[in-house]
């Protein structure tokens, strides 16, 4: 099995796991709030369906996708929320679920059938097939985390988190650029422990700037699904410490992130 096919299969598995979480929800469950401000569970699934749709458009009709980029440039802070709001207003939960299922299946097939070397335009730099599948997996996992948090469900970490971590590391310079900051020239060392105790490492072993911590915590950090103070990810070096404060694995403007968890007395 090629590396490209493997990540597409992992994307399918990640999507199917989230599907199992939301498939049996009633109307109340779909309308329940998630940690993302103003977003219900329905908004989360609507967003995933919408993003899969624009990814499919980018892969099959790149000229038409240029219109989507123009919309994003015209309203960079609001176009994602507006798209989710419009879909939630227009579709009942069962229709949103069906739309997401159909769209992601079509996208998976297009990615699997794409010729080697294909580059897909996106809101940032063009992506390879593997990178697009990885990005979709990262988003599916991150929005799935919002839904799991809303439902009070603790998900078991899987080996698919390696893809989320990898895109988080590779997006280091993007996190600086989107904030108008010059990225450091030197590479960082990132060492992450899987739940099974295995070490996953990126960057030169002797780098002065180092990041260490659990794989799950790093993924929560770079997807901005938990506040840094609630995670066991540590930095050695001033530049590594700065990166942990701005890291993001997703395209687009910097997100607001999450507030620290409340203390038992209600204070943060």
């Amino acid at each position: 099995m090629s590396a490209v096919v493997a990540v597409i299969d992992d994307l399918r598995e990640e999507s199917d796991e989230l599907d199992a979480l939301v498939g049996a929800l009633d109307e109340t469950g779909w309308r329940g709030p998630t940690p993302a401000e103003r977003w219900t569970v329905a908004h989360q699934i609507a967003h995933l369906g919408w993003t899969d749709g624009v990814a499919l458009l980018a892969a099959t009709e790149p000229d038409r996708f240029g219109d989507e980029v123009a919309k994003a440039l015209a309203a960079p802070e609001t176009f994602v929320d507006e798209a989710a709001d419009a879909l939630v207003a227009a579709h009942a939960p069962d229709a949103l679920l069906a739309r997401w299922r159909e769209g992601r299946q079509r996208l998976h097939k297009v990615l699997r059938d794409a010729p080697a070397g294909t580059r897909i335009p996106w809101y940032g730099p063009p992506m390879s097939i593997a990178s697009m599948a990885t990005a979709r997996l990262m988003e599916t996992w991150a929005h799935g985390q919002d839904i799991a948090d809303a439902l009070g469900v603790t998900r078991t970490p899987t080996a698919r988190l390696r893809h989320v971590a990898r895109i988080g590391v590779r997006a280091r310079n993007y996190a600086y650029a989107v904030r108008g900051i010059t990225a450091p020239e030197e590479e960082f060392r990132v060492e992450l422990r899987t739940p099974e105790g295995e070490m996953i490492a990126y960057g030169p072993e002797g780098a002065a700037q180092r990041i260490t911590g659990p794989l799950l915590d790093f993924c929560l950090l770079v997807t901005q699904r938990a506040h840094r103070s609630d995670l066991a990810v540590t930095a050695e070096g001033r530049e590594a410490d700065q990166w942990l404060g701005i890291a993001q694995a997703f395209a687009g403007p910097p997100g607001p992130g999450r507030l620290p968890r409340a203390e038992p007395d209600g204070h943060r």
Side-chain angles (χ1 to χ4, degrees):
M1 180 187 298
S2 72
V4 175
V5 172
V7 70
I8 294 171
D9 284 348
D10 282 348
L11 169 59
R12 176 182 50 77
E13 291 180 7
E14 190 67 38
S15 300
D16 288 348
E17 183 177 291
L18 177 56
D19 195 313
L21 192 60
V22 300
L25 290 178
D26 59 15
E27 181 75 16
T28 300
W30 278 92
R31 301 304 176 191
T34 69
E37 186 177 358
R38 295 195 313 103
W39 275 30
T40 63
V41 171
H43 282 84
Q44 300 285 350
I45 296 301
H47 172 70
L48 288 176
W50 173 81
T51 315
D52 284 344
V54 293
L56 182 64
L57 185 68
T60 58
E61 300 182 70
D63 290 341
R64 285 187 58 204
F65 174 71
D67 295 337
E68 296 299 321
V69 174
K71 293 177 186 176
L73 292 174
E77 302 293 336
T78 61
F79 80 103
V80 170
D81 285 339
E82 289 169 357
D85 285 341
L87 286 168
V88 170
H91 299 285
D94 58 344
L96 290 174
L97 184 58
R99 187 178 185 276
W100 175 48
R101 286 172 173 168
E102 179 186 2
R104 75 182 196 242
Q105 289 169 3
R106 292 177 60 198
L107 176 62
H108 297 173
K109 185 178 188 306
V110 166
L111 294 179
R112 186 181 288 271
D113 294 345
T118 295
R119 305 289 292 182
I120 301 175
W122 199 235
Y123 296 100
M127 289 187 171
S128 67
I129 297 299
S131 293
M132 176 59 78
T134 301
R136 297 308 310 128
L137 190 156
M138 177 273 296
E139 276 236 341
T140 302
W141 179 83
H143 290 283
Q145 186 63 46
D146 289 337
I147 292 171
D149 287 343
L151 300 177
V153 172
T154 299
R155 300 189 296 175
T156 301
T158 72
R160 297 189 297 270
L161 286 178
R162 296 167 184 260
H163 300 301
V164 181
R166 182 172 181 271
I167 200 170
V169 171
R170 289 173 62 86
R172 187 200 74 168
N173 287 2
Y174 179 80
Y176 284 94
V178 78
R179 290 166 173 79
I181 305 172
T182 301
E185 293 185 4
E186 64 180 303
E187 293 187 61
F188 294 174
R189 176 71 169 183
V190 179
E191 296 181 348
L192 307 172
R193 297 186 308 278
T194 70
E196 297 77 25
E198 180 185 354
M199 184 68 70
I200 303 172
Y202 305 89
E205 189 171 355
Q209 306 293 320
R210 305 176 67 85
I211 305 290
T212 58
L215 173 63
L216 173 60
D217 285 25
F218 182 78
C219 292
L220 291 168
L221 179 78
V222 298
T223 58
Q224 297 186 5
R225 261 51 192 185
H227 192 274
R228 179 181 174 184
S229 65
D230 295 322
L231 302 170
V233 182
T234 60
E236 296 179 30
R238 181 183 62 81
E239 291 176 337
D241 185 72
Q242 179 189 36
W243 179 47
L244 287 190
I246 64 172
Q248 67 178 71
F250 50 87
R258 299 284 186 263
L259 294 172
R261 284 197 296 263
E263 299 294 338
D265 62 1
H267 293 87
R268 294 191 180 276

